[in-house]
Amino acid sequence: MIFIRIKIQSLSILLLSSLALTACAKSTETGPKETKPSPELQQKIQQLVEKTKKNMIFVEGGSFMMGDFGPVTRKDKLPITGLYAAMPLHKVTLDSYSLNAYKTTFDDFDLYTEATGQPKIGMQEISKKLRVPNAPAGVSWQQAQNYCQWLGQQVGIPMNLPTEAQWEYAARNRGQYIIYPTDNGKYEMGRNVWSDEQRHQLSKSLEMDGVPIPTLGKFPPSPLGFYDLATDSYEWMSDWFDPQYYKNSPEKNPQGPATGTLKSVRSTYQVAGTLDLQISGEVTTIYRSGEEPNPQFEKDSSAFTSINPNGATAVRCASNSHQPFLKQK
């Protein structure tokens, strides 16, 4: 698969540059610079603020067993995925928080870049064709973090990326033993996740036949109201990624390792067949992996997704605020 090949390329780059990385995940990108928005832009930003308030879902905190729960739910006591990074099962207790029902779209992110005087993302020749209505914005970890913090400033409530524990707790309907983050906990191709034929027809209709086109909100939400937890782009977490972190994770509001070289991602990006993703366990609520936080554009690469090195990673913002206007689901 193309994405796997890109992972290997990214790992090679990572090994050469690991000594230069720090806990701050510093980006070579130009940081956001606030500019005075025009009345038209200010109106669009206010519309985004209202949409964000409407789509933020309050998740009541509590305790749950995080990780591969197969050994405590299956008759054969075997793990669900066998993924080393998802073990061992361990207790986590979270404070209440809020999480957006949707991943951020290109239209949303364009408001941020315009307001902060930055160029639009994903404007390479092929990448521009993926800017279809309601498509998730493909961003780096630094861009994702900056966007959430900027959005929080507009809303008036601190916002950031969710932690892995927050994402999994929400995906499992407040920590229930749910394998797939869908409306009914099952993985039903064509009904609550994309079938290969549906994806093919969408790509064909957009004259991008053979290219996986992500578009949000096409399937029923989870019981808590979250869309696309099992499809249409990986989601950046605030945590550094360590496959052994669960062995030493604190119980109360775990934040991930203090340092690292990869940032954690959840959800998935469909470049393979839908059935392949189910077999691999990648679409489950417990699957976890890490990605290079700020990959750079590779001018000499012929791989499709290297046109936009962040094309498969999106952002869903969170807040630890307990403001009353955030309606509890």
Side-chain angles (χ1 to χ4, degrees):
M1 291 190 301
I2 291 173
F3 192 71
I4 292 176
R5 178 151 59 92
I6 294 170
K7 281 188 176 182
I8 295 173
Q9 291 173 346
S10 299
L11 182 58
S12 298
I13 296 171
L14 177 67
L15 292 174
L16 293 174
S17 60
S18 59
L19 293 178
L21 290 173
T22 68
C24 294
K26 294 180 179 179
S27 171
T28 57
E29 302 160 357
T30 302
K33 298 179 180 179
E34 290 288 347
T35 59
K36 186 176 181 179
S38 66
E40 181 182 6
L41 177 59
Q42 186 58 54
Q43 182 180 12
K44 291 181 179 179
I45 292 174
Q46 186 57 39
Q47 291 173 347
L48 175 61
V49 167
E50 295 305 317
K51 183 176 75 170
T52 300
K53 290 180 180 180
K54 178 182 178 181
N55 290 338
M56 291 297 286
I57 297 175
F58 180 78
V59 182
E60 183 180 356
S63 297
F64 76 116
M65 298 303 292
M66 184 175 180
D68 194 319
F69 48 82
V72 298
T73 60
R74 292 175 51 141
K75 292 181 179 180
D76 57 13
K77 305 299 181 182
L78 293 176
I80 294 169
T81 67
L83 182 68
Y84 177 78
M87 298 182 283
L89 192 67
H90 58 289
K91 185 179 180 180
V92 165
T93 300
L94 296 175
D95 293 334
S96 298
Y97 61 98
S98 298
L99 185 65
N100 203 297
Y102 297 92
K103 303 178 188 185
T104 299
T105 66
F106 275 110
D107 286 346
D108 296 339
F109 202 86
D110 286 346
L111 293 178
Y112 157 69
T113 54
E114 184 178 355
T116 54
Q118 300 180 77
K120 287 185 177 181
I121 61 168
M123 294 300 290
Q124 296 85 3
E125 191 60 31
I126 295 181
S127 299
K128 284 193 295 185
K129 298 180 181 180
L130 299 178
R131 285 175 149 269
V132 299
N134 222 28
V139 296
S140 70
W141 181 88
Q142 192 68 59
Q143 289 172 325
Q145 182 192 52
N146 290 345
Y147 171 78
C148 289
Q149 292 177 347
W150 171 84
L151 183 60
Q153 291 173 357
Q154 310 312 307
V155 175
I157 293 175
M159 298 178 71
N160 212 318
L161 296 172
T163 64
E164 279 201 82
Q166 288 176 331
W167 190 96
E168 183 169 324
Y169 183 71
R172 288 172 47 188
N173 303 332
R174 297 188 62 242
Q176 299 177 45
Y177 290 134
I178 294 173
I179 297 178
Y180 299 109
T182 59
D183 61 323
N184 59 3
K186 300 178 181 179
Y187 192 73
E188 300 176 339
M189 290 174 280
R191 197 198 69 79
N192 59 14
V193 294
W194 292 97
S195 68
D196 294 338
E197 179 59 26
Q198 286 174 326
R199 188 75 80 180
H200 171 73
Q201 290 300 324
L202 176 62
S203 298
K204 188 176 181 180
S205 69
L206 297 171
E207 298 183 350
M208 293 290 285
D209 199 13
V211 175
I213 305 292
T215 181
L216 304 175
K218 295 296 183 181
F219 300 103
S222 72
L224 290 186
F226 296 106
Y227 289 84
D228 308 301
L229 292 171
T231 186
D232 289 323
S233 293
Y234 295 99
E235 298 179 29
W236 288 115
M237 302 293 105
S238 61
D239 315 45
W240 287 107
F241 177 72
D242 179 357
Q244 300 189 58
Y245 179 68
Y246 283 7
K247 292 181 177 180
N248 304 298
S249 172
E251 177 185 334
K252 184 70 173 179
N253 296 321
Q255 305 294 307
T259 61
T261 54
L262 303 177
K263 281 293 185 178
S264 296
V265 293
R266 290 299 186 102
S267 192
T268 192
Y269 180 76
Q270 186 180 344
V271 292
T274 308
L275 182 60
D276 292 340
L277 294 174
Q278 183 182 24
I279 293 173
S280 69
E282 191 168 318
V283 291
T284 64
T285 56
I286 60 175
Y287 191 93
R288 58 190 301 261
S289 61
E291 295 296 327
E292 184 182 352
N294 301 300
Q296 301 302 306
F297 176 70
E298 298 177 34
K299 293 182 179 180
D300 59 345
S301 175
S302 60
F304 171 76
T305 48
S306 288
I307 300 299
N308 176 6
N310 306 300
T313 45
V315 52
R316 184 191 303 264
C317 297
S319 175
N320 292 325
S321 170
H322 301 285
Q323 294 291 334
F325 72 83
L326 298 177
K327 183 178 180 181
Q328 183 173 353
K329 297 288 182 177

